[in-house]
Amino acid sequence: GAGVSQSPSNKVTEKGKDVELRCDPISGHTALYWYRQSLGQGLEFLIYFQGNSAPDKSGLPSDRFSAERTGGSVSTLTIQRTQQEDSAVYLCASVPSASGRVYEQYFGPGTRLTVT
Amino acid sequence: KQEVTQIPAALSVPEGENLVLNCSFTDSAIYNLQWFRQDPGKGLTSLLLIQSSQREQTSGRLNASLDKSSGRSTLYIAASQPGDSATYLCAVTPGANNLFFGTGTRLTVIP
């Protein structure tokens, strides 16, 4: 079946512009994570959605970052007034059950964001 | 296709013990290897990142080694504490946009 998809796969934007990154989780998966990986850095947790609960936003690095998950499915990560340090690969992962078992975390291919 | 295996799947140790978690991967063509921990209901926290040219990395009580040619990595935790209880994941990066995670080791440190 279809896996987690993300779009665009690559995005180049000018400093100061807003960008939206999209994640389509596997249908029926209840939890969704956003991560980012900057060059040479480990994976950084950004935000976590679980069902209808309030999202865990503890990983968002600044108030320029926000994310929504509409209808418990598609998620959009928005970065306003992009900065060069926002350049990274942004990964989305979905999980099929409320247990959040890590081995069931399905990752999308990522969006490579480059801010010039 | 890259496959990442972690052994053991679960481990319980008394507080204060030193322990080793193992990770193996099938394709040695990797950019780096990372160890993470995940607490229930939380995202992943990156612990250590080892570049393919490096042999080991240390952070506090944690030491990770990498033997790329044999496709192995270990995470050594010294003087374990109950707060170390979590699931530990290793992941390899064979390409810019791909992460291959192991299935994790669930560690319980008993007070």
Side-chain angles (χ1 to χ4, degrees), chain A residues 2 4-5 9 15 17 19 24 29 31 39 49 51-52 54 61 66 71-72 90 96 99-100 104-105 109 112:
Chain A
V4 177
S5 61
S9 57
K15 178 181 174 181
K17 301 282 189 181
V19 294
D24 285 86
H29 281 200
L39 187 63
F49 295 91
N52 295 322
S66 62
Y90 288 82
S99 69
E104 292 184 341
Q105 189 161 165
R112 176 175 293 280

Side-chain angles (χ1 to χ4, degrees), chain B residues 21-109:
Chain B
L21 306 181
N22 297 291
C23 173
S24 61
F25 47 96
T26 55
D27 188 344
S28 63
I30 61 171
Y31 284 84
N32 58 52
L33 181 144
Q34 301 178 66
W35 283 93
F36 303 86
R37 68 173 281 167
Q38 184 169 30
D39 298 281
K42 299 292 185 181
L44 302 176
T45 301
S46 181
L47 298 174
L48 290 163
L49 170 68
I50 310 177
Q51 301 291 353
S52 61
S53 59
Q54 297 174 322
R55 299 283 295 182
E56 66 176 348
Q57 284 285 335
T58 298
S59 176
R61 293 182 293 107
L62 305 179
N63 176 275
S65 68
L66 174 64
D67 184 341
K68 201 175 81 161
S69 61
S70 68
R72 296 178 187 275
S73 176
T74 61
L75 179 66
Y76 175 83
I77 302 177
S80 58
Q81 302 171 358
D84 295 333
S85 297
T87 296
Y88 290 81
L89 293 149
C90 72
V92 297
T93 306
N97 284 1
N98 297 325
L99 279 169
F100 288 86
F101 280 83
T103 53
T105 294
R106 185 182 299 276
L107 173 66
T108 303
V109 181

Side-chain angles (χ1 to χ4, degrees), chain A residues 35-72:
Chain A
Y35 301 90
R36 75 175 177 181
Q37 186 165 31
S38 303
L39 187 63
Q41 302 295 316
L43 198 67
E44 177 186 13
F45 164 71
L46 297 177
I47 189 169
Y48 166 57
F49 295 91
Q50 174 58 277
N52 295 322
S53 302
D56 176 357
K57 303 180 182 180
S58 60
L60 295 178
S62 78
D63 58 9
R64 295 186 296 104
F65 287 71
S66 62
E68 292 183 345
R69 189 178 184 193
T70 56

